[in-house]
Amino acid sequence: MSEHFPIVNPRIEDGLALSDATVVEFRDGCTDAMSIVPGEHEAGESVPCPRCAGEHEISSALSVPIAHNIEISEVEPEAEPGV
């Protein structure tokens, strides 16, 4: 799954271009799962919904950095149990 995510206040740390984002759950249950919104936010704030045209109040929030300059080109297969 690939999400196009805007770069908000980018900074460079250890060679990574990072911007702040928040994994949120909305109080009104607009989305079935958690959503990612740009910037740092806390529970109780209202933010634009990434899935609809409205704004929603955040019931829970977890701030996370998003790295923009990484690329996964190959995924190694999982090791088989007992090997």
Side-chain angles (χ1 to χ4, degrees):
M1 180 174 137
S2 174
E3 291 190 37
H4 296 284
F5 200 81
I7 298 175
V8 178
N9 299 322
R11 64 187 182 281
I12 302 296
E13 290 183 18
D14 297 323
L16 294 175
L18 302 174
S19 65
D20 295 322
T22 306
V23 179
V24 299
E25 188 169 2
F26 294 119
R27 192 169 308 283
D28 65 3
C30 176
T31 59
D32 293 341
M34 300 190 93
S35 299
I36 299 174
V37 294
E40 288 193 58
H41 303 282
E42 295 181 7
E45 291 182 43
S46 290
V47 296
C49 180
R51 308 239 193 266
C52 76
E55 280 198 357
H56 304 289
E57 185 178 340
I58 298 171
S59 62
S60 62
L62 174 65
S63 293
V64 295
I66 300 291
H68 297 276
N69 61 338
I70 61 171
E71 182 178 313
I72 299 172
S73 59
E74 186 176 326
V75 178
E76 293 184 18
E78 291 184 30
E80 293 183 27
V83 176

